[in-house]
Amino acid sequence: MRRAVVTALSLIAVGVLFASPFSPFRKAMGPQPDGTFLVSSGQTVLPGTVAFDQRLSDLALNPKDGLVAVVAKNKVFLVEGKGMVAGSDVALGANAGFHGVLWSHGGDRLYVSTDAGHVQVFDYSDKRLKAAQKIVLKKEGEKTNPVPGGMCLNGDGSRLYVACTNLGSAAEVDTSTGKVLRYLEAQRLPFTVRLSPDESTLIVSNWGGEPPDEDDEKDLSQDLELKVTHEGSTATGTVSIVDLKTGGTSPVYVGFHPTGLAVAGDLVYVANAMSDSISVVDWKKRKVVKTIELRFNGKKVIGSMPNELAYRDGTLYACNGGDNALCVIDPATGRVKGYHPAGYYPTGVQLTSDGRTAYVVNTKGNGSVKNSVKGAKARNAHDFQGTVSVVDLGADLKVQSAKVAELNAWNTPADLYKPKMKVYQGGIKHVIYIIKENRTYDEIYGDMPEGNGDPSLCSIGESAMPNHRKLARTFGLFDNAYVCGTNSADGHQWANQAGANEYLEHFYVGYSRTYPDDGEDAMALNSTGRIWDAAMKAGKTVRVYGEWAGDDQALYEPRKPKDWFEAWEDRETGRNEFKYKAHTRVPSLKAVLCPDYHYWPLIQSDQSRVDVFEREFRSFEAQGKVPNLIVMSLPSDHTEGTSKAYPTPRSMMADNDLALGRIVDIVSHSKVWKETCIFVTEDDAQAGPDHVDGHRTSTLVMSPYSKRGVVNSGFLTQVNILRSIEEMLGFKPMTKFDTIATPVTECFVERPDLTPYTVAKNNVPLGERNPDKEMTAMDKYWHDKTMSLDWSGLDRADFYWLNRIVWYSIHKGKRPYPDRPWDEPGRVDTD
């Protein structure tokens, strides 16, 4: 096989601004003075031409009048030129599918995949869409949601082919009747379909690759078994070449996570999102004839995530989700010619008939800025604003490529990646990485005058979290630090593997399939492994507490406590009858996962979790075997609303706070404190408001080398933390995101201060019960609201209402919920 190696353009260096918290030059997430947007990955994007207050999934160009149909979470709207057609939006009647929108050849019908399992058809005329038939794709007598994806039509429009992700097949539909004629066999998780020019063959990209054999390592994606690597990600990627006459199918092996397809004569180009490559397949010969590798500065670093393709006149265009760019490729030579800027995570591209313009849909667009740009005081990570970029393909590609390099910081000076500081030159031998759940900066630190906070949004503060405040005042307050994800499903992926992949980004729009906060979906796992994998590959010792321990695999001995209070009483009395047994499906994690420490549910208190940690840590210390890397989930600050089975939200936050203080107390009084650094972040910050950005969160970096009693206002995200850990312990970055990210430096000094930390006592009683019999009318309202939510798994409870419940429980109506006038129409303030 001939391999064409492609090197990404490296053009313009981007500096990092460090300033006081109130400096006008302070770099913070969200809208920037020059009109750009600093987004949660740490990248900068140009504003999209068309902005829409939802995440977007896909787009299609009408062949008749050139209007573009754009699919949002639960709507479709039309774009003309550089703006949205007024009044053109129409409800889908369901949430959007992860991918799939298509015009009929005459431009009078529009087909849209939905997460409800059907294709919604719209009639089109006079710049208006009207809902028509639903094409039901479920097999007769079966309940399985087919999860429809990409589509294509034959030449006369009589047959529609739809990728059915959960069925492992493509449906052939008679468009005149809307009936499925047959299901054409493919392999695991079909993403999209294309016809050969002679219409004899259907090409199907199989996102999950081939089915596993009996002896293969395997894991699930929803209910489907996938062949996986030892680190848990998919082990293969394939396209199925289907003979439409016989229905026979042949697999062709390509890269990991094959997604978008583009056909040109005898060749089909395949975007391999988790291999950062384009496979060139001869569909007649049923083999790969070339692989175009997308390299970064000459190195194979995964993170560009090409996921959709378009071909025109010898040029290939790829939506590089991780680069926020439209990549221009010469397929004949395998050379990347350059890049055009797009928005945050492009997932679809359409070329105009004259080849001069590309419309690019960006699922995260301008970032979570829906309310920021409208001036709302309280901002949330769910404030999505998807965009469409209108790209002039005739623009100077050298200039455009330089802009992409600038926006992505591709030319950051090398010395910023290798700081000449003791913490990065062998001074740190042990790192403890703690991941908490769902709090913003303003919730915890908003009323601290030292930092950039908003006291009116500080719902927790000193009373519930004295250790967070004391730790920040001791080791440094970080008031410009952010998570990268939006909720636990993508937040834990960012926190553990330096990026949420294209599977998550596509499914986020409708979220119709899985919620892999605990790693329980092989499709959500990057091909490059997790931070514990990277450490182990470098010969480092590792222990993991809770992270990616499957919540549906959480076991109890001799039985499950009836509620949190029974478990708490068991611990407090010293009986310790209940044992908490954790398991994971991720093969490489099994050997290093602590078996006595649950991630979820929250019946095990954070005090119980720290009891387990302390017991092991003391043993490791006595043996001189404290692991190099400890990764720990500390989740009780998530809370369970005002459920009678759990303590009050402020009590659960106090539990979390005391647990964190205990950990730092234990470690700072140990023999290894002199060469240890503790990083604390949240998996996401979705559960509360923040006046800067909904991703801003409580972050701590604690070490003898910490610059004490200061405010650290340098911009940083979780990938900066991951890069810091990698540099301290001496192992390689996992993705392009932590490769580009610079380590944290401003918070460290060269001379260590070994003064240990003493835990602060809790101010709020642990085990404080929610109102039960003696409830006011408002207590009962919020209790009933709590019980109306879905608490069967993490984050199934509506985040909006959980925010409101927690706020009321803490303030009891004395402080109104932060004003969000543009958020969630129809939901009124009942405090």
Side-chain angles (χ1 to χ4, degrees), residues 509-541:
V509 176
Y511 247 122
S512 57
R513 206 164 178 278
T514 60
Y515 196 88
D517 57 288
D518 51 3
E520 290 197 326
D521 185 343
M523 288 298 297
L525 277 59
N526 289 350
S527 60
T528 47
R530 274 38 69 198
I531 189 169
W532 47 82
D533 296 313
M536 287 189 286
K537 286 177 183 177
K540 305 301 178 182
T541 53

Side-chain angles (χ1 to χ4, degrees), residues 384-398:
F384 300 128
Q385 191 176 72
T387 62
V388 175
S389 300
V390 183
V391 178
D392 178 3
L393 297 178
D396 189 315
L397 194 54
K398 184 176 181 179

Side-chain angles (χ1 to χ4, degrees), residues 724-764:
S724 301
I725 295 171
E726 292 157 356
E727 289 300 318
M728 285 177 175
L729 296 183
F731 56 89
K732 294 180 179 179
M734 297 171 282
T735 70
K736 201 168 185 178
F737 295 104
D738 53 338
T739 296
I740 293 170
T742 54
V744 179
T745 57
E746 65 167 339
C747 61
F748 293 122
V749 295
E750 292 299 282
R751 296 184 64 181
D753 179 348
L754 297 176
T755 304
Y757 176 79
T758 300
V759 62
K761 294 182 179 180
N762 51 296
N763 298 322
V764 174

Side-chain angles (χ1 to χ4, degrees), residues 97-101 113 119 137 146-151 161-165 190-192:
F98 68 90
H99 180 65
V101 58
S113 291
V119 172
L137 298 171
V147 186
M151 300 174 281
Y161 297 91
V162 187
C164 295
T165 302
F191 179 90
T192 198

